[in-house]
Amino acid sequence: HFDLLLYLYMTMATAIVFSALGYFIGRREQMITELALTDALTALYNKRYFKNRLEQEFERHKRHGTAMSIVQIDLDHFKHVNDTWGHQAGDEVLRHVASVIMANCRKNEIAARTGGEEMSIIACDCAEAEATHLAERLRTGIEESSSFWQGQELKVTASFGVASANQNTDNAWKVCQLADDALYQAKKTGRNKVSVHGS
């Protein structure tokens, strides 16, 4: 009888220890993932890093009057790629577009994947004209290149919204919102184009 109680006690204690251990290992892995700076699929920065840098760069803009622009990017008809060829093909397209973005960004431009097929660039020390030029370069690069999936050539285009911080901008998110508005404008007026806020 005593042996049985001891056995049950040991079994329960072991189970509790292992489940606690499992929980902590799980939490640790989650924390490591959260601390990671890059998006696993595209190798661009992740949304969390983007948010942090956005705040930092906006503070720098406020303090020193440095130029700062945001370029919002959204792939055109991306759902069609996923629906036609499947999500793995979609992933391949995203990887390819990310590589075009990285190849065209300078050191002081922070490119991140901020949504499914949405990407954002913080263009530090970059006025509106330069940011627009960057967006146009990326637009052309994406349009003129291809991804390949199982021998099939996949072509995509992207729409771009550009906005710059100025003395009337209250916060970093306002710049993002204005770039989003410009992106919406690009989508609405035909896609595969660059729209600049206020122009």
Side-chain angles (χ1 to χ4, degrees), residues 6 14 31 33 51 82 84 88 90 93 101-102 105 114 118 123 125 127 136 138 161 168-170 172 188-190 196:
L6 186 66
T14 307
M31 281 165 71
T33 306
K51 285 179 173 177
N82 280 335
T84 309
Q88 283 178 303
V93 168
I101 291 170
M102 284 193 275
C105 278
T114 48
E118 292 152 34
D125 306 312
E136 191 51 54
L138 291 172
N168 303 321
T169 317
D170 311 329
K188 207 171 73 167
T189 54
V196 181

Side-chain angles (χ1 to χ4, degrees), residues 58 62 166-172 174:
F58 188 75
K62 277 294 200 205
N166 59 38
Q167 60 269 37
N168 303 321
T169 317
D170 311 329
N171 59 62
K174 184 68 180 158

Side-chain angles (χ1 to χ4, degrees), residues 73-81 93 97 117 139 142-143 155-160 183 186-188 190-193:
I73 308 160
D74 191 74
L75 299 189
D76 300 326
H77 305 298
F78 185 68
K79 189 179 180 302
H80 177 72
V81 174
V93 168
V97 169
E117 69 272 26
R139 188 196 67 74
I142 292 166
E143 184 183 29
K155 304 277 290 177
V156 292
T157 59
S159 298
F160 294 77
L183 172 63
K187 288 273 191 197
K188 207 171 73 167
R191 295 184 167 87
N192 188 25
K193 64 194 290 190

Side-chain angles (χ1 to χ4, degrees), residues 51-113:
K51 285 179 173 177
N52 289 343
R53 282 304 298 270
L54 182 65
E55 298 288 356
Q56 286 169 12
E57 290 307 323
F58 188 75
E59 277 308 307
R60 194 162 74 89
H61 155 75
K62 277 294 200 205
R63 203 173 307 125
H64 304 295
T66 50
M68 173 194 160
S69 301
I70 300 287
V71 179
Q72 298 285 47
I73 308 160
D74 191 74
L75 299 189
D76 300 326
H77 305 298
F78 185 68
K79 189 179 180 302
H80 177 72
V81 174
N82 280 335
D83 290 349
T84 309
W85 305 104
H87 286 275
Q88 283 178 303
D91 287 352
E92 191 52 51
V93 168
L94 286 170
R95 270 194 290 268
H96 168 72
V97 169
S99 72
V100 173
I101 291 170
M102 284 193 275
N104 281 280
C105 278
R106 299 172 307 181
K107 239 185 174 63
N108 60 341
E109 289 157 354
I110 299 149
R113 182 183 180 201

